[in-house]
Amino acid sequence: MPEPVATPRVWAGAVLGSGLLVGGVNQALGPGEPLVHLAVLSVLAAALGARARLGAVPGIACLCWLFFNAFGIPPAGVLTWSAPVDLQRMSLLLGAALTGTLVARVASARTAYRRIPPPAP
């Protein structure tokens, strides 16, 4: 089973990746496309979650949400909080990161199980 990446490195990847992805989507489509931003950040959260420890998952979701909220939706550079909508967005990002982690763990366990030799007769 591969060793998960250290939590600070995963969080650094979340900060760097979120910034680059939100900036890239803003350049390509403009800041008024929250669904595209959320989809791209969900894929990033799942990818980071696949290499992270379970304890790093909430941090991944929060960091992705911060970049989404600050730069993905207008007005850019202003953090806002709308409880029902932002809770759904954070839940989506948390679910994506958790799904990435769980899928990676199941795949790793299946690979390890297949390496076990059959019992000798």
Side-chain angles (χ1 to χ4, degrees):
M1 192 158 129
E3 184 68 26
V5 177
T7 300
R9 286 187 180 208
V10 173
W11 288 348
V15 168
L16 183 63
S18 295
L20 290 173
L21 288 174
V22 168
V25 171
N26 280 346
Q27 287 296 321
L29 302 175
E33 298 293 335
L35 291 178
V36 175
H37 284 95
L38 201 56
V40 169
L41 288 174
S42 294
V43 170
L44 174 67
L48 289 171
R51 295 295 298 156
R53 290 181 168 88
L54 192 58
V57 168
I60 293 169
C62 287
L63 290 169
C64 289
W65 176 82
L66 280 172
F67 273 90
F68 170 76
N69 195 348
F71 304 109
I73 55 176
V78 178
L79 284 175
T80 59
W81 179 260
S82 173
V85 175
D86 284 324
L87 284 175
Q88 288 177 345
R89 291 171 177 164
M90 286 188 84
S91 297
L92 178 71
L93 291 167
L94 182 65
L98 185 61
T99 300
T101 303
L102 294 178
V103 167
R105 295 300 173 265
V106 169
S108 180
R110 289 188 69 189
T111 302
Y113 178 76
R114 290 180 185 171
R115 289 184 185 159
I116 297 174

